Amino acid sequence: MISAMIVDGQVAPTHDNVGKPPFTVLDPTHVQDGQVAGIQAKRRKPYGQMASGAVIVAIAALFIWSQAANENLDWSSVGEFMFHPVIFKGIAVTLELSVFSMLISVVLAFGVALMCQSRNRLAAIVGRVYVWFFRGVPLLVQILIWFNLAVLFPKILGADTNQLISGFTAGLCALSLAESGYMAEIIRGGILSVSKGQTDAGLSIGLTRGQALRRIVLPQTIRVIIPPTGNQFIGLLKASSLVSAIGGSDLLTQTQLIYGQNFKIVPLLIVATVWYLILVSVASIGQYFLEQKFNPDGAAAGGSFRELIRRNLLLRNRSDLSRKAAQP
């Protein structure tokens, strides 16, 4: 088969696919008598994509225009309450709920994941039941149970339960426990992603099982669990709005308090929507940079397995030398 090519309208030498001498491809605009014009390939224009894109843009523009001119939305109220102090107070509570719940859930989930991987049958069963229960019960149900905990326990440590469990506290407990069930499976999956042979290799150089977990397994686990953890935090940001069912003072609760007074429901919900999108966008950017920091090719990813073994051997040798130096 013979290939042909025209570069910038000029004659270009080419070769066929069997190693024959090059021949000349002629510019089709300057073909002389008795010569055959070269074939100029052109990419097909994506008319279907262009048409569908134009339709989508047109529909979006019509929707935006119709709502921008909709007097019922009262856009002036949206601008009025976008930076209202009450809204900022709700944003602060939403961030507190999300961050604290995520931190608590990660700590709980790490312990539960280790229990699920434990050789102790009882610990493994308890860990799996924990995950089963808190992943199975809907989050809103857990929030309501925690808020009405006084029905089950009127007093906790001698104090009135209703005084201890506020809307914020109930939401924090429910979000933390519900999220820990999901995070436990994420962490367990990250631990399983590291081959058992690496732990055995760590044990063979004198590390304890705990040291092998800290120095070999966990550094490689982090880069596996970071992406799903970021997704879980973004989901937690949005799930924190369920705390409004018990008046948890979050962003949606504060929004409801305002439109409960002025009855401007949709404009205030637009305000809440915009702020949730801003929070999620910022969290997504943070997730991106975390993934870049802990990517497998980066130094922060824990390095290769060979590098981990080398570092641990050095630490082992240093500890042996220190022990010998301390002996009389």
Side-chain angles (χ1 to χ4, degrees), residues 79-325:
E80 178 184 354
F81 291 101
M82 183 63 68
F83 303 101
H84 197 278
V86 176
I87 297 295
F88 282 140
K89 180 182 177 181
I91 293 172
V93 174
T94 294
L95 290 174
E96 290 174 1
L97 277 172
S98 302
V99 173
F100 292 152
S101 298
M102 197 68 203
L103 293 176
I104 295 172
S105 68
V106 168
V107 174
L108 293 175
F110 183 74
V112 174
L114 293 181
M115 290 174 66
C116 293
Q117 294 296 108
S118 175
R119 297 178 179 178
N120 187 319
R121 284 180 171 272
L122 180 60
I125 291 174
V126 171
R128 293 186 181 279
V129 170
Y130 180 97
V131 173
W132 166 77
F133 180 82
F134 286 107
R135 287 202 309 175
V137 179
L139 179 56
L140 183 57
V141 175
Q142 295 187 46
I143 292 173
L144 295 174
I145 290 175
W146 275 100
F147 190 63
N148 295 280
L149 192 63
V151 177
L152 302 176
F153 304 99
K155 289 186 178 295
I156 298 178
L157 300 176
D160 186 9
T161 304
N162 287 323
Q163 298 295 326
L164 293 176
I165 305 296
S166 62
F168 179 86
T169 308
L172 181 64
C173 294
L175 289 170
S176 301
L177 293 173
E179 186 62 30
S180 65
Y182 292 95
M183 285 302 304
E185 287 297 283
I186 291 174
I187 294 174
R188 189 174 72 90
I191 293 174
L192 291 175
S193 68
V194 181
S195 65
K196 188 176 180 296
Q198 298 195 21
T199 302
D200 295 338
L203 297 176
S204 68
I205 63 174
L207 297 179
T208 65
R209 191 168 293 276
Q211 290 174 331
L213 178 67
R214 292 195 307 272
R215 298 178 179 177
I216 296 176
V217 177
L218 289 183
Q220 299 178 80
T221 301
I222 290 176
R223 65 172 179 258
V224 177
I225 68 176
I226 282 294
T229 300
N231 291 333
Q232 290 297 119
F233 179 72
I234 291 173
L236 199 59
L237 269 174
K238 298 181 291 183
S240 64
S241 61
L242 293 174
V243 179
S244 62
I246 58 174
S249 302
D250 65 307
L251 174 57
L252 186 56
T253 301
Q254 301 297 347
T255 302
Q256 291 172 337
L257 290 176
I258 296 175
Y259 72 60
Q261 297 175 359
N262 59 18
F263 301 103
K264 297 179 179 180
I265 299 175
V266 176
L268 267 300
L269 289 177
I270 291 176
V271 171
T273 299
V274 171
W275 277 113
Y276 276 119
L277 288 174
I278 292 174
L279 294 177
V280 169
S281 299
V282 172
S284 300
I285 294 172
Q287 178 189 7
Y288 170 78
F289 283 108
L290 275 177
E291 291 178 3
Q292 294 297 312
K293 181 177 177 61
F294 290 99
N295 70 76
D297 298 327
S304 63
F305 176 60
R306 183 179 298 177
E307 179 64 19
L308 288 171
I309 292 295
R310 189 185 69 81
R311 284 207 310 262
N312 283 292
L313 282 173
L314 290 175
L315 290 172
R316 184 73 177 180
N317 293 335
R318 289 175 184 174
S319 63
D320 290 342
L321 291 175
S322 301
R323 193 181 302 111
K324 291 178 180 179

